[in-house]
Amino acid sequence: MLSVKGLRAKVGEKEILKGLDLEVGRGEVHAIMGPNGSGKSTLAHVLAGREDYRVTAGTVTFEGRDLLALTPEERAHLGLFLAFQYPVELPGVNNTYFLKAALNAIRSARGQPELDAVAFLRLMRERLKVLYLDDSLLKRPVNFGFSGGEKKRNEIFQMALLEPKLAILDETDSGLDIDVLRIVADGVNALRGLERSVILVTHYQRLLDYIEPDFVHVLAHGRIIRSGGKELALELEEKGYGWLGAEEAA
Amino acid sequence: MIAASPAVEAIVASEYEHGFVTEIESDTFPPGLDEGVVRAISARKGEPDFMLDYRLRAFRHWQTMATPKWAQVHYPAIDFQAISYFSAPRSKDGPKSLDEIDPVLLETYNKLGIPIEEQMALSGIAVDAVFDSVSVATTFRVKLAEAGVIFCAISEAVHDYPDLVRQHLGSVVPHTDNFYAALNAAVFSDGTFVYVPKGVRCPMELSTYFRINARNTGQFERTLIIAEADSYVSYLEGCTAPMRDENQLHAAVVELIAMDDAQINYSTVQNWYPGDAMGRGGIYNFVTKRGDCRGARSKISWTQVETGSAITWKYPSCLLRGDDSVGEFYSVAVTKGRQQADTGTKMIHLGRNTSSTIVSKGIAAGEGEQTYRGLVRIAAKAAGARNHTQCDSLLIGARCAAHTVPYIEVKNPTAQLEHEATTSKISDDQLFYCRSRGLTAEDAVAMIVNGFCKEVFKQLPMEFAVEAQKLLSISLEGAVG
Ligand SMILES: Nc1ncnc2c1ncn2[C@@H]1O[C@H](COP(=O)(O)OP(=O)(O)O)[C@@H](O)[C@H]1O
Ligand SMILES: [Mg+2]
């Protein structure tokens, strides 16, 4: 479903991704681990279509389409979702309104009828229940004044509502207490049950106690330097990245 | 936050939707202004002597005045002798009903999306449509008359209610007030008159759409609204004008009078032609709007959504004369392309325990430039006066600018004043976040802008709030690439 081959990308003059390969199949959960500054968020943003990251080589196909030729919103319409490491605040924009607009933009791009207010609220309540979220966040402006944990939960809630075919979670687990971690895990596992795919960018083994990945990759110096099963994560936890020759990226 | 960015930078002007010209025979004076023209306008309207005297006094005073220079706007000097001061669609008598109105005119209104006919009955809005200088259609006058409300063209009021006009015209904005007010008093051709008697709650929203059509005609409307004790009226003015290369002058005067316990809500949705992306053409909007809270506990509320005009220069103001009277000013002003706006309000606290609220939301895109200029004056007698001012600016792109110029004069130590100001920017991060959720950049901007303006929109009557939101989205279309 997602196939990344020889991907190189620059931020300004600096090359961050230096020939990255990654294959993600339907219903698979991939964990990407790696030291700070190794290019994990860059990869996530390049896949989501951020324009100030310049792709200089390589190909990315998603659902048979050339992903790099699409705008960020077209990628979202195709079913790609990025849970941001640093979710952005939208003062004055009501969270519920935003979610409804996003869902309907995606639905209408797919030729599906838009949901009216009643149908949308029903859907929202249903998803809220599954994630044990309280709905006070929905009445506030998007991410505005949210705590770190609330922002992450809100990202997961958006994911649950939009039901992407491929979700990329960029360090959604950092700085979360166990309860929120569970919510994140529930969200991911729910998607997995729907045969959707997930890329988990994470620093810690901790999240992987709740979500069992099919594959674990180590990203360092702009490349995947090692791939394996879930046991690789345990090994990393024990030995650190140094063991792979992947100390903090310069 | 990152400053300029390619995404946000690509500001372009969206096409002006209402830029068509109506081909209709009109009776237009040749350009130029002297005493003879003033007399001719008065004669053409068959005015009583008191009106001619009023105009002549104003004209003579105007001749002694110079154009004001203090606003933060730039434009070439206006040649007042190159403007025609009267233009009317050619027809012998005023139309008696909608059927008598020139179908070309009706078509014009339809293009503007003005619901002048049957829809009006459903939405319960009375419309007084001003086409160039003459009021051509007044609906629902009968129903209003049953309630005792007078809603008509000011030129008719001069004939039918001369005492009311003579008593109140110029009592809030005297002809000596400023250059454009003097000019307006000398040459105003038409406008709207509203009178709400004591104890009456006006049974519907009143609304006037102005439209400037004929080439090279300045439009000088005059609006006078009188709310007697314990009455209520809500009035909406909406404006559009055709696309022209040359600039047109719009110098209106609006006077509001609220007696004891009366309330007037005055809302404006203004999208005059702003000129093209190079700054050619467009309306010069130099307007004097003032409300007089003459009675105790009276209240005047100005709400404006300004997306148009090449240059906007206006300060809807409140004279808070009555004890416990309340003045409000809610404003959204958008400037893009080369538009300039210098707008704000004046709250003059004269009575005791008077209070005022100012909420100003400025949005600048492209090379738009805008200034909020507000004056809060607390007179020595105004014990217990309060003001709250909130001034927010939202910048889209890096070449636009927003300035805030608050003037505060306090002569009474018991006054309480609060002032808050913020400036924010639509960032690339925000746009990318929205787009990654499936929204287009335009949707994202519209959403952020609407969120920014919410406080003001909620002051508008429901239908118009929706209209205003649409207008903003249209006006900022293409604001990001
Ligand atoms: N906007 C930017 N401008 C310049 N350098 C950047 C920018 N964003 C990231 N970088 C650099 O790119 C490298 C990779 O960053 P990132 O992808 O955020 O790493 P990770 O998510 O793995 O911690 C780092 O060296 C970082 O400093
Ligand atoms: Mg990161």
Side-chain angles (χ1 to χ4, degrees), chain A residues 41 85 170-171:
Chain A
S41 292
Q85 184 174 3
D170 190 0
E171 297 206 29

Side-chain angles (χ1 to χ4, degrees), chain A residues 11-12 14 16 34-43 53 85 170-171 201 219 250:
Chain A
V11 180
K14 189 175 168 195
I16 311 286
N36 265 331
S38 57
K40 303 183 298 294
S41 292
T42 304
L43 173 64
Y53 292 78
Q85 184 174 3
D170 190 0
E171 297 206 29
V201 172
L219 176 57

